[in-house]
Amino acid sequence: MQNFDYYNPTHIIFGKGRIADLDKQVPANARVLITYGGGSVRKNGTLDEVKAALGQRHVLEFSGIEPNPAYETLLPAVELVRREKIDFLLAVGGGSVIDGTKFIAAAACYAGDPWEILTSHGAKVTGALPLGTVLTLPATGSEMNNGAVVTRKELKAKLPFLHPAVYPRFSVLDPTKTFTLPPRQIANGVVDAFVHVMEQYLTYPVNSPVQDRFAESLLQTLVEIGPQALANPQDYDIRANVMWTATLALNGLIACGVPQDWATHMIGHELTALYGMDHGQTLAVVLPAMMDERRQAKEAKLLQYGERVWGIREGSVAARIDAAIAKTREFFEAMGTKTRLADYGVGQDGVDQVIAQLQTHGMTALGETREVTPEVSRRVLERSL
Amino acid sequence: MQNFDYYNPTHIIFGKGRIADLDKQVPANARVLITYGGGSVRKNGTLDEVKAALGQRHVLEFSGIEPNPAYETLLPAVELVRREKIDFLLAVGGGSVIDGTKFIAAAACYAGDPWEILTSHGAKVTGALPLGTVLTLPATGSEMNNGAVVTRKELKAKLPFLHPAVYPRFSVLDPTKTFTLPPRQIANGVVDAFVHVMEQYLTYPVNSPVQDRFAESLLQTLVEIGPQALANPQDYDIRANVMWTATLALNGLIACGVPQDWATHMIGHELTALYGMDHGQTLAVVLPAMMDERRQAKEAKLLQYGERVWGIREGSVAARIDAAIAKTREFFEAMGTKTRLADYGVGQDGVDQVIAQLQTHGMTALGETREVTPEVSRRVLERSL
């Protein structure tokens, strides 16, 4: 096992009816900015429930944070926070709203050009306003981690940043708030959580049996309940399990002491920035091709994954790995998420464009062993056409 | 799944050579009290390493915190803390030293009779001095939770308390510090961690597949590496995995959204208080008998445990449960921990004494369904003679 640090101070408030707890969690004298997306939380009553829980506090709203939150969208919120002396941010939505709110929280405390927060991947963050979240879409894990991804549309650049100051103080996870999500969003969320686990699991063995088994626990559970979540949108327990699984998939726990990959995510980010593909769609396309391309470097873990998650115990090494990749692809397709670039209208010239953008963004030595050069990324993309 | 709160702000600093990190974690102007036990940390060099890392800070020492830390031992430390205006506590040792230090931290801030901290199970705690830990014995999980157990020898009372103020700010987990532990302490630690998991797992199903699989992951890992940890005391990876598994066994994570039992622990505490049995020994005695006595209430989970942890898939319900209990007992015995009261010289009159003490301490409705009355506890003890 490798040395590691684990620190995660986010208070999770989980279950039916827990939005009422906001009254205990948000300081009584806070000047609160509620941030949200396209307005579904307004239509389905969640926003009213949040505001009722906040009672007499001074509350402003900022709406319109889009999927893959845009730098250009968020800067006016930073101005609003400063002008109105906001001292607490409350994100109500999914990972995009939460990520955007983390950026607002850090940018409001940053004296320089806020773009530096992203180009430094968080190294230049000097602090952040306190923030809490009310999660409505299980997927990204942002509700219990210190990361965020923001897109600068004019540059077609989708960049991550990390900083301990942006851990949410609390996150309210009420599974009933997911009942009205469109199937495509549930599918994207399940695929995203699945690939988060894979990026921390499918590397090389370091004698970490608990981390391996925890990762396999999350994968097995997503395989089991993902399709059920589509079929039974009002089933509380299924939605509760999807929600908690997605949170655990990226809260730092399964990363303790093990190498991490993230090449699939970095290539996926470029596909979203260039072609507007959903984040989950990009992962469903890239991961199976990445598994195939890196089958030698990842052989031991691919075999373990095949056996423990899919019960694949027979056949040659190559046949077992083929079967594990095929099962993964079938799972994504069963969730309704297509797994080929062609399904999204992206062809060979798209491959060239993604490689050029990876080079522009310095993504030239990806993966757990830094072996995913632009040439390797090209072969991955060509395998996914 | 049940509603739950999860909050755990302890910073884990894991790996070889991490004691040096104390310099970053303890405030530079702190007045530090290092607390420890019988002196093994002095003999094996760990104390010197800790003091070197603390550099020029004002440091005092308090030694002699025994296994099952005694209220009578700890009160002088509370006086020392007040007299010397200590503002940071650093526990160097295992769960007993850490538990004792949590009590010192809370008692130093408590204006009333400190015994009330224990009789209220922490409800009366008003705050605590900040504390950190350097763990030398993987077992109790105290390094990453907000609980402690303290024994008042004159009353033969071993009582737990819980409060968020006593979460360690940080815990340094260096597996090499366990290389010199006697086999009995490693065995006790593995048994303790195993039973911690069982108390949170072996209840009744609430549709929580991830929590179940995480618990089974910890159990499978302890079964696999427990005997290896005895056979290969200098194997870094094995000790690292024992250490991290024991921490995860009782840091709140696998308790999220599920019922909990703890009857085995409460009966075990009385056995330690009356007869001085090691904590791990009491659990190895009580758990198999508790599984047998409560086989109907716990039937679904007993079968799941047998299948997933021990591969027991054949035979009648009764036969499979018998086999699961037998495997559990064999595992404890393989760790060198005897599983019958007679092995520790306790007989039928001991049963009467334990029942009387459980009644004195109000432990009359234990377990996940409060069905473990003194009559049930008596049958459990009689099954374990």
Side-chain angles (χ1 to χ4, degrees):
Chain A
M1 201 194 304
Q2 299 176 352
N3 285 6
F4 67 86
D5 283 60
Y6 180 74
Y7 169 68
N8 191 324
T10 299
H11 175 180
I12 296 294
I13 299 161
F14 192 100
K16 275 181 268 229
R18 300 304 301 276
I19 286 177
D21 282 51
L22 289 173
D23 190 37
K24 285 186 285 190
Q25 299 299 330
V26 177
N29 59 352
R31 293 174 63 86
V32 183
L33 182 66
I34 299 176
T35 53
Y36 57 98
S40 60
V41 297
R42 185 194 296 280
K43 288 183 217 106
N44 64 24
T46 301
L47 188 64
D48 286 340
E49 199 177 336
V50 166
K51 289 201 280 191
L54 292 174
Q56 299 304 310
R57 290 172 181 81
H58 182 83
V59 171
L60 292 177
E61 294 176 29
F62 181 84
S63 67
I65 301 179
E66 64 274 71
N68 307 301
Y71 182 76
E72 294 87 345
T73 302
L74 300 170
L75 288 186
V78 177
E79 287 311 304
L80 177 65
V81 162
R82 288 174 172 161
R83 189 169 66 241
E84 296 289 339
K85 301 189 184 350
I86 294 294
D87 56 19
F88 199 95
L89 299 174
L90 183 61
V92 182
S96 293
V97 172
I98 298 171
D99 279 12
T101 304
K102 288 176 175 175
F103 178 78
I104 297 166
C109 298
Y110 190 67
D113 176 358
W115 182 234
E116 295 169 357
I117 292 172
L118 293 163
T119 54
S120 74
H121 300 308
K124 292 196 171 180
V125 168
T126 52
L129 290 180
L131 67 105
T133 91
V134 176
L135 183 68
T136 60
L137 169 56
T140 73
S142 188
E143 65 278 8
M144 198 183 182
N145 68 38
N146 68 347
V149 187
V150 172
T151 298
R152 188 158 179 178
K153 287 193 287 191
E154 60 173 339
L155 302 179
K156 291 192 188 296
K158 183 174 175 179
L159 299 182
F161 84 97
L162 294 163
H163 196 277
V166 299
Y167 275 112
R169 301 295 170 103
F170 63 81
S171 285
V172 177
L173 277 58
D174 179 343
T176 68
K177 300 302 165 197
T178 74
F179 285 177
T180 55
L181 286 171
R184 175 168 153 182
Q185 293 198 4
I186 284 288
N188 280 335
V190 168
V191 171
D192 193 21
F194 191 93
V195 181
H196 287 160
V197 179
M198 292 292 268
E199 300 270 35
Q200 300 163 88
Y201 167 74
L202 197 71
T203 56
Y204 53 85
V206 292
N207 199 345
S208 54
V210 169
Q211 293 91 325
D212 284 5
R213 288 188 171 112
F214 275 18
E216 291 152 2
S217 297
L218 299 173
L219 296 172
Q220 288 172 308
T221 302
L222 289 168
V223 166
E224 191 173 277
I225 66 178
Q228 296 173 16
L230 289 177
N232 308 295
Q234 307 276 323
D235 185 309
Y236 178 82
D237 273 333
I238 294 170
R239 290 294 168 104
N241 285 313
V242 169
M243 204 168 212
W244 188 223
T245 303
T247 299
L248 291 169
L250 195 53
N251 75 343
L253 179 71
I254 61 169
C256 289
V258 301
Q260 299 182 55
D261 185 335
W262 298 106
T264 293
H265 267 72
M266 294 307 115
I267 296 173
H269 287 175
E270 304 298 353
L271 284 166
T272 295
L274 285 168
Y275 303 109
M277 288 170 62
D278 294 351
H279 178 56
Q281 294 170 339
T282 69
L283 303 175
V285 165
V286 177
L287 183 73
M290 182 70 76
M291 293 164 81
D292 201 4
E293 174 62 31
R294 300 203 66 217
R295 59 197 301 150
Q296 280 192 299
K298 293 177 183 289
E299 181 178 297
K301 278 304 206 46
L302 276 165
L303 293 172
Q304 182 176 322
Y305 163 73
E307 178 173 346
R308 296 198 188 172
V309 176
W310 297 106
I312 300 165
R313 295 183 183 85
E314 315 262 300
S316 67
V317 166
R320 282 181 282 156
I321 291 175
D322 285 344
I325 296 169
K327 283 286 186 186
T328 308
R329 191 181 292 281
E330 285 165 23
F331 171 59
F332 296 157
E333 297 273 355
M335 292 302 297
T337 310
K338 297 290 182 188
T339 62
R340 294 288 180 186
L341 281 173
D343 296 318
Y344 303 95
V346 178
Q348 180 66 48
D349 59 336
V351 175
D352 299 330
Q353 287 187 290
V354 169
I355 298 302
Q357 287 295 81
L358 284 169
Q359 287 173 314
T360 301
H361 299 142
M363 302 289 180
T364 54
L366 300 172
E368 68 273 23
T369 52
R370 308 234 151 239
E371 290 172 318
V372 182
T373 59
E375 293 71 42
V376 176
S377 294
R378 176 180 294 280
R379 291 201 294 273
V380 169
L381 287 161
E382 287 175 347
R383 283 182 192 277
S384 68
L385 281 167
Chain B
M1 200 193 304
Q2 299 176 351
N3 284 6
F4 68 85
D5 282 60
Y6 180 75
Y7 169 68
N8 191 323
T10 299
H11 175 180
I12 297 294
I13 300 161
F14 192 101
K16 275 181 267 230
R18 301 302 303 275
I19 286 177
D21 282 50
L22 288 173
D23 190 37
K24 285 185 286 187
Q25 299 299 330
V26 177
N29 59 352
R31 293 174 64 87
V32 182
L33 181 66
I34 299 177
T35 54
Y36 56 98
S40 61
V41 296
R42 184 194 296 280
K43 288 182 218 105
N44 64 23
T46 301
L47 187 64
D48 286 342
E49 198 176 337
V50 166
K51 289 200 281 192
L54 292 174
Q56 298 305 309
R57 289 173 181 81
H58 181 81
V59 171
L60 292 177
E61 294 175 31
F62 180 85
S63 67
I65 301 179
E66 64 273 71
N68 307 302
Y71 181 76
E72 294 87 347
T73 303
L74 301 170
L75 287 186
V78 177
E79 286 311 306
L80 176 66
V81 162
R82 288 175 173 161
R83 191 169 65 240
E84 296 290 338
K85 300 189 184 357
I86 295 294
D87 56 18
F88 199 95
L89 299 174
L90 183 61
V92 181
S96 294
V97 172
I98 298 171
D99 280 12
T101 304
K102 288 176 175 176
F103 177 78
I104 298 166
C109 299
Y110 189 67
D113 177 358
W115 182 235
E116 295 170 356
I117 291 172
L118 293 162
T119 54
S120 74
H121 301 307
K124 290 195 171 179
V125 169
T126 52
L129 291 180
L131 67 106
T133 91
V134 175
L135 184 69
T136 60
L137 170 56
T140 74
S142 188
E143 66 277 7
M144 197 184 182
N145 67 37
N146 67 349
V149 186
V150 172
T151 298
R152 189 159 178 176
K153 288 193 286 192
E154 59 173 341
L155 301 180
K156 292 193 186 298
K158 183 173 174 179
L159 299 181
F161 84 95
L162 295 163
H163 196 277
V166 298
Y167 275 111
R169 300 296 170 101
F170 63 80
S171 286
V172 177
L173 277 60
D174 179 342
T176 68
K177 300 303 164 198
T178 74
F179 286 176
T180 56
L181 286 171
R184 176 168 152 182
Q185 293 198 4
I186 284 288
N188 280 334
V190 168
V191 171
D192 193 22
F194 191 92
V195 181
H196 286 160
V197 179
M198 291 292 267
E199 300 271 36
Q200 300 164 87
Y201 167 74
L202 197 71
T203 56
Y204 53 84
V206 293
N207 199 346
S208 54
V210 169
Q211 292 91 326
D212 283 5
R213 288 188 171 113
F214 275 18
E216 292 152 2
S217 297
L218 299 172
L219 297 172
Q220 288 173 307
T221 302
L222 289 168
V223 166
E224 190 173 279
I225 67 178
Q228 296 173 15
L230 290 177
N232 307 295
Q234 308 277 323
D235 185 309
Y236 178 83
D237 273 333
I238 293 171
R239 291 293 169 104
N241 285 313
V242 169
M243 203 168 213
W244 188 223
T245 303
T247 299
L248 292 169
L250 195 54
N251 75 343
L253 178 71
I254 62 169
C256 289
V258 301
Q260 299 182 56
D261 185 335
W262 297 106
T264 293
H265 266 73
M266 294 307 114
I267 296 173
H269 286 175
E270 304 298 352
L271 284 166
T272 296
L274 285 168
Y275 303 108
M277 287 170 62
D278 293 351
H279 178 57
Q281 294 171 339
T282 71
L283 303 175
V285 165
V286 177
L287 182 73
M290 182 70 76
M291 293 164 80
D292 200 4
E293 174 62 30
R294 300 202 65 219
R295 59 197 300 149
Q296 280 192 299
K298 293 177 182 289
E299 181 177 296
K301 278 304 206 43
L302 277 166
L303 293 172
Q304 182 178 322
Y305 164 73
E307 178 173 345
R308 296 198 189 172
V309 177
W310 297 106
I312 300 165
R313 294 183 183 84
E314 314 262 300
S316 66
V317 166
R320 281 181 283 157
I321 292 175
D322 285 344
I325 296 169
K327 283 285 185 189
T328 307
R329 191 181 292 281
E330 284 164 25
F331 171 59
F332 295 157
E333 296 274 353
M335 291 302 298
T337 310
K338 297 291 182 187
T339 62
R340 294 287 179 186
L341 281 174
D343 296 318
Y344 303 96
V346 177
Q348 180 66 49
D349 59 336
V351 174
D352 299 331
Q353 288 186 291
V354 169
I355 298 302
Q357 288 295 82
L358 283 169
Q359 287 173 317
T360 300
H361 298 142
M363 302 289 181
T364 54
L366 300 172
E368 68 274 23
T369 52
R370 307 235 151 239
E371 291 171 317
V372 182
T373 59
E375 294 70 43
V376 176
S377 294
R378 176 179 294 281
R379 291 201 295 272
V380 169
L381 287 161
E382 288 175 347
R383 283 182 193 277
S384 68
L385 282 167

